[in-house]
Amino acid sequence: IHSFLMAAVLVAGSLTSCSSDDMESKASALTPSDKEIKFTVGDITRGTAFTGTAANSVPDFKVFAFEAGTSTKYIDGGVYTWTDTKYVPDNTYFWPATANLDFLAIYPQDITLSTAPSTYQAFGYTAPTAIADQKDLMAATLGNQAKTESAMALAFSHLLTQISIKAKVSTNLTVNVSDVSICNVMPSGTFDG
């Protein structure tokens, strides 16, 4: 009986030790390092792709970061704003010690999401019904990024479509438009990367 109890204590101790070690290694992987997380903005897609520049296309954006391949949030909506020469964060964000990160950037930074990001490829959005309140929603993702000194280039894509209908004639004719209909409009959806 004595040997059996001693063996049980040793097994219990080793199980506790394993789970404690796992928790410590997980915590240390996400412990901030001394390397700052930096971004630039690369190409922006809009139907036909065009190249935008940080100064005139994306003045600010919101960043979410997750431990790579998980839903463990590392940055929860940090704001990066364009200054004269670079993007400056609202707080200084540092890479984790050893873990890689998945990034989601959303423009504009003040847009209201219907569902907060749960991974770097999942959030919900509902467009406001008032035209004056509608904004140009864009997103960029970077998966499984390793710690680097360099600024990472974000390639934003437009997620919404704006439709404008105009009636125009080139002579002195009078045109009366009696009706315009757009069907099957989806005012809300879920971004899935």
Side-chain angles (χ1 to χ4, degrees):
I1 292 174
H2 181 69
S3 297
F4 177 74
L5 288 175
M6 194 64 143
V9 167
L10 288 174
V11 168
S14 67
L15 289 175
T16 303
S17 174
C18 286
S19 62
S20 176
D21 289 347
D22 289 345
M23 287 169 50
E24 285 176 20
S25 66
K26 183 111 171 145
S28 63
L30 289 175
T31 301
S33 69
D34 60 348
K35 292 194 181 356
E36 185 179 349
I37 297 173
K38 300 180 250 181
F39 296 100
T40 63
V41 171
D43 290 344
I44 299 172
T45 62
R46 181 195 301 266
T48 303
F50 75 97
T51 302
T53 61
N56 63 19
S57 296
V58 184
D60 54 45
F61 53 88
K62 189 183 314 190
V63 171
F64 297 88
F66 299 85
E67 182 180 7
T70 75
S71 59
T72 302
K73 208 172 274 184
Y74 187 73
I75 299 174
D76 190 7
V79 175
Y80 283 75
T81 304
W82 178 254
T83 61
D84 294 331
T85 58
K86 64 181 180 176
Y87 282 101
V88 177
D90 56 352
N91 290 306
T92 304
Y93 300 100
F94 295 95
W95 284 96
T98 58
N100 287 3
L101 295 177
D102 295 331
F103 292 97
L104 166 66
I106 298 173
Y107 166 85
Q109 60 87 13
D110 62 348
I111 202 149
T112 302
L113 303 176
S114 59
T115 306
S118 56
T119 69
Y120 82 112
Q121 292 187 322
F123 70 87
Y125 180 72
T126 300
T129 53
I131 292 173
D133 296 335
Q134 295 173 0
K135 297 183 179 185
D136 184 14
L137 175 63
M138 293 194 298
T141 60
L142 292 169
N144 199 24
Q145 299 297 299
K147 182 168 46 177
T148 177
E149 295 274 357
S150 305
M152 295 171 291
L154 295 169
F156 280 91
S157 295
H158 291 265
L159 303 182
L160 304 177
T161 300
Q162 181 181 47
I163 298 172
S164 177
I165 299 171
K166 298 178 182 179
K168 181 179 176 183
V169 294
S170 58
T171 62
N172 290 333
L173 298 173
T174 300
V175 177
N176 293 316
V177 177
S178 61
D179 189 29
V180 174
S181 296
I182 301 174
C183 302
N184 299 322
V185 174
M186 299 198 50
S188 64
T190 301
F191 176 75
D192 63 4

